[in-house]
Amino acid sequence: MQEHLVTASGSLISWTALNMHDDTFDNVRQFQFVQDAPGRAQLRIVPTCAFSDADQQRLLSRLERKFDGQLHIELERCLDIPLSPRGKAIYVDQRIREAGPGEPASDETDPEPGGRQA
């Protein structure tokens, strides 16, 4: 699941499907999606000095259209996005844990049936 985003319905979206051959990511030096729950993700960007509110609006509206309501995106501007230990960009920082046999798919589980704390 490493290079995929997970929609609210559980469908997987490959980060390569987000490769837009237009001006969507203009004035963005680096970007990375971070996801810890299905249906929502954070988009971290390192903007250029020319990045404007219009660039942000264009970026978010095009992603919303592409995700068709299945993935809510929050934008965070950063000074830097660390590379992998091998010096490569990490486009999706997927933090949703894959389920093993008989386990729920997310780290957001109830500690006891009924959601009561022990």
Side-chain angles (χ1 to χ4, degrees):
M1 194 175 349
Q2 197 89 10
E3 294 293 321
H4 293 86
L5 294 171
V6 183
T7 67
S9 66
S11 298
L12 300 180
I13 301 172
S14 170
W15 82 266
T16 57
L18 305 174
N19 188 6
M20 302 195 184
H21 301 285
D22 58 16
D23 62 349
T24 298
F25 285 96
D26 278 6
N27 298 319
V28 173
R29 185 173 298 127
Q30 284 179 282
F31 71 91
Q32 179 184 64
F33 289 92
V34 179
Q35 186 175 37
D36 59 12
R40 67 174 193 246
Q42 183 180 49
L43 174 59
R44 295 179 178 166
I45 65 164
V46 177
T48 67
C49 57
F51 190 82
S52 67
D53 289 340
D55 291 317
Q56 179 171 323
Q57 183 60 37
R58 180 185 62 243
L59 175 60
L60 289 173
S61 71
R62 289 192 182 160
L63 288 174
E64 285 174 12
R65 201 171 350 167
K66 189 149 191 116
F67 295 139
D68 195 27
Q70 288 293 306
L71 193 66
H72 174 73
I73 299 293
E74 292 181 19
L75 190 96
E76 178 188 352
R77 295 182 192 198
C78 304
L79 296 175
D80 184 47
I81 296 173
L83 301 175
S84 76
R86 294 184 179 171
K88 302 209 180 232
I90 300 168
Y91 295 105
V92 177
D93 179 359
Q94 184 53 263
R95 298 178 181 184
I96 298 174
R97 174 173 74 83
E98 287 190 57
E103 292 183 322
S106 175
D107 286 332
E108 299 178 25
T109 59
D110 287 335
E112 284 187 26
R116 294 180 311 231
Q117 296 285 333

